[in-house]
């Protein structure tokens, strides 16, 4: 079967996981309760400093309020349906998870606020569209859609600057991680990525986010 006719099962699975976590949080104390957010795995620097590094992973499945959940899952659906077909299910999943962790690492390094949400991963998917536009600019459709996403990224980041309660560092971290990770995982359903670009992207991911993680541990000093 042609991969472009397969159902986006990873996208559906990610949506299901987010919904199940939201229901569980709602039943156990609410999704806007700071204590419950921390209990379920939100990004919380004092506990990350104490060794709970899994908190750089779990926030991408946690949402603060129904509006937050609905907006992110709607975005995930529209982005995921297309990108999962382009990258393939396992590459798409890797891209999504790497972006989420990358966003949370930059947020950990530069923000002391409790944070959660799939938007770190979603900005990584935006970054994947930028990679496609850079690598396959000869494809008129990809060039057009990547320019549209560039405008959308600028508008979203501009909104982040003036809206309260939004983790812009998480968004920026996810965007960069997704851009690099999309080179690293490759997109065989569209075309080949030069081997050197893939190697450089892997090295950049490890070095940049390793340094950011170290920055976070150096920046936030909490008593154990």
């Amino acid at each position: 079967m042609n991969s472009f006719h397969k159902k986006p099962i990873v996208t559906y699975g990610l949506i299901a996981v987010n919904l199940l976590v939201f229901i569980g949080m709602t039943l156990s104390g609410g999704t806007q309760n700071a204590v419950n957010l921390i209990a379920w795995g939100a990004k919380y620097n004092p506990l990350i400093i104490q060794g709970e590094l899994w908190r750089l992973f779990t926030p991408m499945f946690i949402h603060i309020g129904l509006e937050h959940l609905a907006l992110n899952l709607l975005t995930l659906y529209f982005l995921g349906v297309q990108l999962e077909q382009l990258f393939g299910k396992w590459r798409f999943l890797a891209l999504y998870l790497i972006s989420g962790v990358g966003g949370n690492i930059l947020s950990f390094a530069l923000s002391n606020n409790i944070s959660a949400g799939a938007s770190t991963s979603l900005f990584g998917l935006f970054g994947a569209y930028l990679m496609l536009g850079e690598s396959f600019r000869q494809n008129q459709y990809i060039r057009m859609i990547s320019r549209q996403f560039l405008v959308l990224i600028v508008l979203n980041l501009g909104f982040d600057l003036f809206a309260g309660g939004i983790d812009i560092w998480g968004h920026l971290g996810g965007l960069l991680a997704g851009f690099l990770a999309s080179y690293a995982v490759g997109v065989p359903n569209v075309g080949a990525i030069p081997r050197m670009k893939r190697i450089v992207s892997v090295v950049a991911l490890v070095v940049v986010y390793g340094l950011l993680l170290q920055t976070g541990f150096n920046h936030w000093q909490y008593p154990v």
Side-chain angles (χ1 to χ4, degrees), residues 113-134:
N113 296 327
I114 297 172
S115 64
S119 54
T120 49
S121 294
L122 297 178
F123 266 80
L125 301 186
F126 291 161
Y129 275 109
L130 296 184
M131 183 284 288
L132 290 170
E134 189 279 326

Side-chain angles (χ1 to χ4, degrees), residues 27-39:
L27 296 176
S28 66
T31 63
Q32 301 185 62
N33 181 306
V35 173
N36 204 38
L37 283 167
I38 293 171

Side-chain angles (χ1 to χ4, degrees), residues 3-4 6 27 35 51 68 81 87 93 103 107 110 151 153 155 160 177-178 186 200-201:
S3 62
F4 284 89
K6 292 181 179 179
L27 296 176
V35 173
H68 189 209
V81 164
F87 281 87
L93 179 60
S107 176
L110 299 179
V151 173
I153 290 166
L155 290 175
D160 289 352
V200 169
S201 297

Side-chain angles (χ1 to χ4, degrees), residues 13-23 59-63 69 73 76 96 117-118:
L14 290 170
I15 290 172
V17 170
N18 279 281
L19 286 171
L20 288 172
V21 170
F22 188 84
I23 292 170
M60 71 182 91
F61 300 105
I62 296 171
H63 290 86
L69 175 77
L73 293 194
L76 171 56
Y96 187 90

Side-chain angles (χ1 to χ4, degrees), residues 1-9 12 81 84-85 88-89:
M1 181 187 296
N2 189 302
S3 62
F4 284 89
H5 296 292
K6 292 181 179 179
K7 291 183 179 180
I9 58 173
Y12 294 159
V81 164
E84 186 173 342
Q85 302 300 327
K89 60 180 183 296

Side-chain angles (χ1 to χ4, degrees), residues 18-86:
N18 279 281
L19 286 171
L20 288 172
V21 170
F22 188 84
I23 292 170
M25 291 183 65
T26 300
L27 296 176
S28 66
T31 63
Q32 301 185 62
N33 181 306
V35 173
N36 204 38
L37 283 167
I38 293 171
W40 276 78
K43 193 219 77 176
Y44 184 56
N45 288 3
L47 293 181
I48 295 175
I49 289 290
Q50 293 179 28
E52 295 187 6
L53 293 178
W54 50 269
R55 290 182 180 274
L56 299 172
F57 178 86
T58 51
M60 71 182 91
F61 300 105
I62 296 171
H63 290 86
I64 306 172
L66 184 59
E67 182 180 353
H68 189 209
L69 175 77
L71 179 61
N72 277 351
L73 293 194
L74 186 64
T75 305
L76 171 56
Y77 174 77
F78 285 110
L79 295 178
V81 164
Q82 183 172 56
L83 286 176
E84 186 173 342
Q85 302 300 327
L86 295 177

Side-chain angles (χ1 to χ4, degrees), residues 146-167:
S146 66
R147 288 176 178 175
Q148 292 174 347
F149 272 98
L150 177 58
V151 173
L152 184 61
I153 290 166
V154 172
L155 290 175
N156 270 275
L157 292 176
F159 177 78
D160 289 352
L161 289 173
F162 298 101
I166 294 180
D167 186 0

Side-chain angles (χ1 to χ4, degrees), residues 4 86 131-132 135-136 138 142 186-194 198:
F4 284 89
L86 295 177
M131 183 284 288
L132 290 170
S135 297
F136 305 102
Q138 72 279 5
I142 288 179
V187 55
N189 291 336
V190 179
I193 302 294
R198 298 184 68 177

